[in-house]
Amino acid sequence: SQWLRIICLAAAFLACRFIFQLGVVPTLFVTFSVRWFVVTPLPRAKRQSASSKRPTTITTAGGSLANTASIDVLDMPQVDEHAAVAVPPPSDAAKHRGGRTLTESQRAERVIAFDEPAYGFVRMAVWTLRDAGMVPPEMDGIPAAAVVPCGANGGASGRRRHHRTLECLHASASSSALAAVGPRHNPFLTPLQNTLRKSAEFQAALHAFVKAEVCPALGVTRVAYQRRPTFRVHLAGGPPQGVPHADGLEPYNHQPGEVNVWVPLTSVGGSNSLVAESSPGLGDFHSFQAEPGEFVSFYGNRCWHYTVANTTQVTRVSFDIRVVPFELFDGQARGPSKTVSASIGDGGAMSSTSGGGKPLRLGEYYVDACVNE
């Protein structure tokens, strides 16, 4: 497709300049018109054709593989919380450089408690949204007891008011935001992604969190971690976010030594949470249960995971990072086969194809947890 672009643009320029003998300005105008209205749709059409050939087999609870139907990944909103994704068994591709692998405990799914106020992730999220005008005055700083009706996901008593503010964001959401399946029409994500995660305060807190909480949880003293975390806002009443996937498989191709760290800033459980299998190929899909002050470590590199429609009355706000024990890090491992243009919910949307595979390197995608020592 890249050569096709070059040939079309060159043909348009030469035709205008030497056959029709147009001036420089008209020639450039016609060439850019061809670029936007003729050349650009070509790879898009190819992408749509390719996506229609990517079926995902879904097995409902209690069903058997022999009775499953094959549906396109774009139809995933039909999947319920207890659906299972039929996936191939793990392969030798999960081995790392030098034949070393993650330990069983490092791959295991665990919910780990930490002192959230010491890092202030929830507080920073609320203040960022408040400064962006995303928190209505009637919800900003309101006592927890006054907003209990919006939190039917269990146990609101004693919850700090900041947690409750995030859990009730759907109360002020527009209809387009409630229907959004990605960041494009979700206004709450913009300040979190563009302002909060780039702030020096958040970056310092994240660095300290990785060193003091994540490294001990993995039994190591040094990791490479995702430089820019991904924030998620799954509004109550909202559709599924993203599609079923495993980070180490096509088209993401993250290196096999990677572990997912998923940090909820609100109460999560049931359909407002992330659904995953506990071990690669096991198919025991379940939603994570956690509270602010807990994070989930799981092997999302090979364990398939996805979200479903949020039928609770609690909006989920979370962020996630991927970490690699430093002795397993491979800076030359093949990266995503497509360019990641924007993250959609807890999946990922891929833009232009043509090539790809660039390694996710230290200093670009990853940061050394000991870089300041």
Side-chain angles (χ1 to χ4, degrees), residues 42-52 338 350-353:
L42 292 176
R44 185 183 305 135
K46 179 180 178 182
R47 244 188 348 265
Q48 292 171 345
S49 174
S51 66
S52 65
K338 301 180 182 180
M350 293 299 174
S351 63
S352 61
T353 59

Side-chain angles (χ1 to χ4, degrees), residues 180-195:
V181 295
R184 190 177 301 275
H185 299 292
N186 189 331
F188 300 103
L189 277 174
T190 302
L192 296 177
Q193 293 279 75
N194 295 347
T195 304

Side-chain angles (χ1 to χ4, degrees), residues 5-356:
R5 289 190 183 96
I6 295 173
I7 292 172
C8 289
L9 292 176
F13 180 84
L14 294 174
C16 292
R17 195 75 178 95
F18 300 106
I19 297 179
F20 299 106
Q21 297 183 344
L22 298 179
V24 175
V25 174
T27 298
L28 292 177
F29 178 79
V30 173
T31 301
F32 278 103
S33 298
V34 170
R35 166 69 177 87
W36 289 109
F37 297 106
V38 178
V39 178
T40 301
L42 292 176
R44 185 183 305 135
K46 179 180 178 182
R47 244 188 348 265
Q48 292 171 345
S49 174
S51 66
S52 65
K53 299 177 182 178
R54 288 191 300 151
T56 298
T57 303
I58 304 299
T59 307
T60 58
S64 63
L65 287 176
N67 297 324
T68 59
S70 183
I71 66 173
D72 190 273
V73 292
L74 298 181
D75 294 328
M76 282 311 300
Q78 300 174 5
V79 181
D80 61 34
E81 176 193 346
H82 303 291
V85 182
V87 299
S91 66
D92 291 338
K95 291 184 178 179
H96 318 300
R97 62 179 185 179
R100 292 175 295 181
T101 64
L102 291 166
T103 65
E104 195 67 33
S105 62
Q106 288 172 336
R107 290 194 300 266
E109 177 188 311
R110 293 174 294 163
V111 178
I112 303 166
F114 70 100
D115 184 10
E116 195 283 326
Y119 303 99
F121 296 134
V122 174
R123 171 184 55 80
M124 284 187 277
V126 171
W127 287 3
T128 300
L129 291 172
R130 181 199 61 190
D131 292 344
M134 297 295 176
V135 176
E138 64 271 17
M139 287 171 53
D140 190 9
I142 197 168
V147 292
V148 166
C150 89
N153 202 29
S157 60
R159 194 82 46 78
R160 287 186 173 86
R161 64 180 182 271
H162 286 327
H163 302 161
R164 302 300 305 151
T165 298
L166 295 178
E167 291 174 358
C168 294
L169 288 178
H170 57 278
S172 61
S174 64
S175 57
S176 60
L178 288 171
V181 295
R184 190 177 301 275
H185 299 292
N186 189 331
F188 300 103
L189 277 174
T190 302
L192 296 177
Q193 293 279 75
N194 295 347
T195 304
L196 177 56
R197 73 172 182 176
K198 295 179 181 179
S199 69
E201 182 184 9
F202 179 81
Q203 291 177 357
L206 178 65
H207 191 80
F209 170 76
V210 171
K211 292 181 66 175
E213 311 291 346
V214 177
C215 285
L218 295 178
V220 297
T221 58
R222 188 180 185 186
V223 297
Y225 68 92
Q226 185 178 336
R227 181 183 181 187
R228 291 187 175 182
T230 305
F231 277 89
R232 325 280 186 177
V233 178
H234 195 179
L235 296 170
Q241 306 292 294
V243 297
H245 68 284
D247 296 348
L249 305 180
E250 283 285 350
Y252 304 93
N253 299 323
H254 284 227
Q255 56 182 283
E258 196 177 67
V259 176
N260 295 54
V261 174
W262 192 75
V263 186
L265 305 183
T266 58
S267 178
V268 295
S271 62
N272 83 337
S273 188
L274 186 64
V275 179
E277 55 182 346
S278 60
S279 184
L282 191 59
D284 59 336
F285 289 91
H286 59 284
S287 59
F288 295 151
Q289 307 280 335
E291 296 288 335
E294 295 178 324
F295 68 90
V296 182
S297 173
F298 72 105
Y299 193 39
N301 189 272
R302 288 296 187 274
C303 291
W304 281 61
H305 48 283
Y306 58 94
T307 64
V308 296
N310 185 357
T311 58
T312 72
Q313 297 181 44
V314 176
T315 288
R316 186 248 300 176
V317 179
S318 63
F319 71 85
D320 48 89
I321 59 174
R322 295 161 180 83
V323 301
V324 184
F326 211 80
E327 64 271 16
L328 300 180
F329 184 78
D330 184 0
Q332 300 303 317
R334 179 172 177 263
S337 60
K338 301 180 182 180
T339 302
V340 181
S341 63
S343 174
I344 290 189
D346 295 280
M350 293 299 174
S351 63
S352 61
T353 59
S354 74

